[in-house]
Amino acid sequence: MQRRPVGSSGLEVSRIGLGTMTWGEDTSPDEAGAQLRAFVDAGGTFVETADDYGGGAAQQVLGGLLRGTVARDDVVLAGRGTAIDAPGRGGGPARASRAALLRSLDGTLRRLGVDHLDLWQFPGWDPRVPVDEMLSAVQVAVYSGRVRYAGLVAPQGWQLATVAAGAGAGPDPAVARPVSTQVEYSLLAREPEAELLPAARYHGLGILAWAPLGRGVLTGKYTDGTPADSRAASALLASYVEARRTEHSARIVQSVLTAADGLGTSPLVVALTWVRDRPGVATAVVGARDAAQLRASLAAEDVTLPAEIRTALDDVSDPVR
C-alpha cells in the first residue's frame, strides 16, 4: 500500500487507514484481530482509535492485539482524546484543560499497553481554555516521550488557523505545531472544503478523512432498504447512519453505482478512491464489519478514478448545487 506524508511533517501513513470505532462492541476481539492482521498484511499502517469508542473497550481490544497479533512497530498508532462537551453543558469542567488532556492521554496509553502514540489527536477547540494551555499539553506530551506528533479533531477553519498561529508564536513551535486534522469527509460530507481544508493546506496540516463511505450509505447497501446485518440495523449505530440517508444522498449514491458499473468495480471502491485522492488527504480511515469487508475496501489500492468520472462525481455531490 502506498504511503503519504501527513501534511508537511515527517510522519508517513498508509493512504487507507483502519478505524476501530466498533471494536469491543459490535466487533468481537477475534474479528478485530482478523481485520488488523489483514490490514497489516496488505501494507496498511495507520490505525485510529479513541478513548470514547465503546467506553475504552476498543482500546483494550487493540492493546491486546498489539501484544500478539501484530507488532507495535508495524502500525502508526493514532489516539484521539474525548470530544469536548458544548460550552456550559451541565456546568461541568472544561475537557480541554491541560490536566484533562494529559489525563485522557495517560488513560489511552494504559488501555493500549504502549508507552507512546505516533499521533495524538486532541479536541480542536474549547472556548473555556486558552489556546496556549492546550498547546502546552502537547509540549508536555512530546517532551515526555508519550507522543511523537499531534493533530486536531474536527475544528472549524478559523479554529484550526488560531491554533496553528498560536503554536507558531509559542516558545517551541516545532514541537507544539499540529500536523493533521481529522474530519468527516466523503461525497456526502463535503462541507470541510469551504474553510477547513483550505486552512489545513495553508498551515501544512494533512487531512485524516473519517467516514469516507458516507457512514456506509455510499456502498449502495441501503438502496432497497436496511439489511439486517448492516450498521443501520444496529441499535448502537442506527442514528449515525440515518443522518446520511437523504433524498440528496440518494442521487449521489446512484451516480456512484453507475460509475462502479462502468468501471467494473464496487461502489465502495469508487467512493473510497474519490476521498483518498482529494487534495490534502493523507489517509482515508475505514471501519469494517469483518475482515472480508475490510479486504473489499483495501481493493481500492489498485484503482484510480478516470478524470471524467471524478468530475461527474464532483458535480453531482457539489454542496452548493
Side-chain angles (χ1 to χ4, degrees):
M1 190 182 301
Q2 292 185 32
R3 299 184 185 183
R4 293 172 172 168
V6 178
S8 59
S9 76
L11 179 64
E12 289 191 346
V13 297
S14 54
R15 62 179 184 168
I16 296 175
L18 177 62
T20 63
M21 183 174 68
T22 63
W23 289 16
E25 291 190 307
D26 281 3
T27 303
S28 70
D30 287 344
E31 184 51 55
Q35 289 185 29
L36 185 60
R37 183 73 267 167
F39 180 68
V40 172
D41 286 348
T45 64
F46 185 81
V47 179
E48 183 267 351
T49 188
D51 59 8
D52 59 350
Y53 289 172
Q59 293 185 341
Q60 291 173 337
V61 169
L62 177 56
L65 297 175
L66 293 175
R67 292 187 289 275
T69 301
V70 301
R72 166 66 179 88
D73 290 343
D74 286 342
V75 299
V76 175
L77 192 57
R80 178 168 60 80
T82 304
I84 306 170
D85 281 337
R89 183 182 299 174
R95 288 174 127 180
S97 68
R98 179 168 51 234
L101 288 174
L102 293 175
R103 187 182 310 116
S104 171
L105 172 61
D106 288 341
T108 289
L109 295 176
R110 183 176 62 253
R111 285 186 292 274
L112 292 172
V114 299
D115 62 2
H116 75 279
L117 295 177
D118 299 296
L119 178 64
W120 179 36
Q121 302 181 91
F122 61 95
W125 193 258
D126 187 337
R128 299 161 291 182
V129 176
V131 170
D132 59 357
E133 181 176 339
M134 288 189 285
L135 292 172
S136 71
V138 175
Q139 291 182 321
V140 170
V142 172
Y143 285 142
S144 65
R146 287 176 280 180
V147 166
R148 300 295 186 259
Y149 295 89
L152 305 175
V153 177
Q156 297 181 33
W158 69 269
Q159 294 170 345
L160 181 151
T162 301
V163 172
D172 199 342
V175 171
R177 184 179 71 87
V179 303
S180 66
T181 182
Q182 183 174 355
V183 63
E184 181 174 3
Y185 189 31
S186 73
L187 282 161
L188 304 186
R190 294 184 60 186
E191 296 82 3
E193 294 176 357
E195 293 186 2
L196 179 59
L197 269 60
R201 286 195 295 270
Y202 181 83
H203 290 283
L205 277 69
I207 304 300
L208 313 177
W210 64 272
L213 304 179
R215 308 185 184 188
V217 174
L218 287 165
T219 64
K221 70 174 68 176
Y222 301 112
T223 303
D224 298 318
T226 302
D229 62 348
S230 67
R231 288 183 174 182
S234 161
L236 176 66
L237 297 170
S239 60
Y240 171 78
V241 176
E242 287 299 325
R244 294 298 180 205
R245 297 177 72 178
T246 66
E247 185 176 335
H248 176 63
S249 297
R251 292 193 294 272
I252 299 172
V253 171
Q254 188 55 55
S255 295
V256 171
L257 292 172
T258 300
D261 185 60
L263 293 172
T265 189
S266 69
L268 181 157
V269 166
V270 170
L272 178 56
T273 303
W274 182 89
V275 176
R276 184 199 67 198
D277 293 338
R278 296 297 286 177
V281 171
T283 189
V285 181
V286 296
R289 180 180 63 251
D290 52 38
Q293 191 179 71
L294 176 61
R295 290 189 184 96
S297 294
L298 298 177
E301 179 65 20
D302 299 323
V303 176
T304 300
L305 296 182
E308 60 271 21
I309 289 181
R310 180 170 291 280
T311 298
L313 293 174
D314 289 351
D315 289 344
V316 74
S317 65
D318 188 340
V320 178
R321 289 177 177 243

